[in-house]
Amino acid sequence: MSTETANAPSEGGGSTGTTRYSVDNPAPLMTPPRARTARTPKSTRTNFELYGWLFMRLSGIVLVVLVIGHLLIQLVLDGGVSKISFAFVAGRWASPFWQIWDLMMLWLAMLHGMNGMRTIINDYAERDGTRMWLKMLLYTATAFTVLLGTLVIFTFDPNIR
Amino acid sequence: MPAGTLYRGREGMWSWVAHRVTGVLIFFFLFVHVLDTALVRVSPETYDETVAIYKTPVVNLMEYGLVAAVLFHALNGLRLVAVDFWSKGPRYQKQMLWTVMGIWGVLMIGAFYPILQHTLHSLSGS
Ligand code: HEM
C-alpha cells in the first residue's frame, strides 16, 4: 500500500466539484487508518479494550441510578448536608439494602473511574516509564480505596462507643 | 501539546473535554470521600468533626460544584451511550448535547436551594 498522490488531477478539479478521475487518472490511494503495517504492534490476542469500552457504558448506566440517588439522599432531600452525622450513617447502614447499594456504587464507580483514568494516562503520558508508574500508582490507589471502603461497609459497628 | 489531544473543535470536542475533566474531578473526590467515610470505624466524634468540614460555606459550595460535575458527566454519559448504540445517535449528537445542557440547567436551578440551604440559613443566622 502506498500514499501516492501523484495521480491527483492538477487542473484545480477539487474546487469545481467535478471529478476528473478516470481509468487513466485514478484517485489517490490512501492507507486505511487501521490497516496492519510492518509498524503495527503485534496483536494483543484479547478483546480487553472492547470489554473495557462496554464496561464504561454499562457501569455508567447503573451509576446514573446509584450516584444520583445517593446525591439526592445525602445532599438534596431532608435539609441537605445539615443532617449528616454518625447517627445518620448508622441509620442507613442498618439496612442491607443501603449496604448493598453503597457497595455496588463503590465498586462500579472505582472501576469505572480507574478505567477512565487509565485511558487518560495512555493518552497523555508519552514515555513508557512514566505511563507504567502512573498506572501502578492508579491501580494501587484503586485497590486500597475499594478494599478500605468494602471493609468499612461490612465491619460497620453502630455501637463502636 | 501531546499528540492526539486536538480534535475538531465545536460541540463534539468541548463536550468530550468537559466529560474528561468532570470524570477526573469525580474520581479524585471519590478517593477523599471513601477516606472520610472510613472514619466511622474510628469513632462517632472523629466522623462528626470531619463531616463538619462539609458543612462550612466554602465546602458546601464545592458540593454544589460536585453535583454540577456529576450531573453533567452522567447526562452526557447517557448521550455517549445513545451516540454509540442508537442508529440515529451520531446524527443527533448536537441536539442531544443541547438537551443535556437544558436538563442540566433545570436540575442545577432546582438543586440550588436544597443543597445550599445549610449555608444560606447559617449566614442569615436562622
Ligand atoms: C453517573 C453516571 C456515569 C455515567 C453515565 C458515566 C459515563 C461514562 C462513559 C460512557 C464514559 C466513557 C467515555 C469514552 O469511552 O470515551 C465515561 C468515562 C469516564 N468516567 Fe464516567 N460515568 C459516570 C460516572 C462516573 C464516576 C462516578 C466517575 C469517577 C469515579 C467517572 C469517571 C470517568 C472517567 C475518569 C472517564 C474517562 C474520561 C475520558 O476518557 O475522557 N464516571 N463515563
Side-chain angles (χ1 to χ4, degrees), chain A residues 48-57 110-126 131 134-135 138-139 142, chain B residues 2-5 16 19-20 23-24 27 73 80:
Chain A
F48 178 76
E49 292 297 340
L50 170 66
Y51 295 125
W53 178 91
L54 200 60
F55 172 74
M56 290 310 272
R57 277 135 189 89
M110 283 308 293
L111 292 179
H112 176 105
M114 179 189 80
N115 193 235
M117 295 297 288
R118 185 184 65 89
T119 305
I120 295 174
I121 292 172
N122 281 339
D123 275 358
Y124 299 112
E126 295 191 25
R131 225 171 26 243
L134 283 176
K135 281 195 253 182
L138 173 68
Y139 299 151
T142 302
Chain B
T5 52
W16 168 78
H19 196 83
R20 183 158 271 198
V24 173
F27 186 74
H73 191 96
L80 288 179

Side-chain angles (χ1 to χ4, degrees), chain A residues 57 82 84 86 123-124 155, chain B residues 20 41 48 55 84 118:
Chain A
R57 277 135 189 89
S82 313
I84 300 182
F86 183 87
D123 275 358
Y124 299 112
T155 66
Chain B
R20 183 158 271 198
R41 292 296 295 127
D48 287 346
K55 301 181 185 181
D84 287 341
H118 183 80

Side-chain angles (χ1 to χ4, degrees), chain B residues 7 13 30 32 35-36 38-39 43 51 98:
Chain B
Y7 188 50
M13 188 189 92
L30 180 55
V32 175
L35 292 180
D36 67 58
L39 294 175
S43 76
V51 168
W98 294 116

Side-chain angles (χ1 to χ4, degrees), chain A residues 1-4 29-37:
Chain A
M1 288 191 190
S2 76
T3 49
E4 188 176 78
L29 194 64
M30 286 190 272
T31 313
R34 286 177 182 77
R36 296 209 153 262
T37 65

Side-chain angles (χ1 to χ4, degrees), chain B residues 15-80:
Chain B
S15 64
W16 168 78
V17 169
H19 196 83
R20 183 158 271 198
V21 170
T22 52
V24 173
L25 281 176
I26 300 164
F27 186 74
F28 285 143
F29 166 74
L30 180 55
F31 183 67
V32 175
H33 183 46
V34 171
L35 292 180
D36 67 58
T37 305
L39 294 175
V40 296
R41 292 296 295 127
V42 178
S43 76
E45 293 75 24
T46 320
Y47 181 76
D48 287 346
E49 279 159 24
T50 309
V51 168
I53 300 171
Y54 279 98
K55 301 181 185 181
T56 58
V58 174
V59 182
N60 196 192
L61 198 62
M62 287 163 71
E63 282 146 24
Y64 190 59
L66 175 73
V67 169
V70 170
L71 278 179
F72 175 81
H73 191 96
L75 293 169
N76 189 59
L78 293 177
R79 165 177 164 268
L80 288 179

Side-chain angles (χ1 to χ4, degrees), chain A residues 79 81-82, chain B residues 55-56 60 114-123:
Chain A
V81 73
S82 313
Chain B
K55 301 181 185 181
T56 58
N60 196 192
I115 292 178
L116 292 167
Q117 60 183 313
H118 183 80
T119 294
L120 296 173
H121 289 168
S122 65
L123 289 186

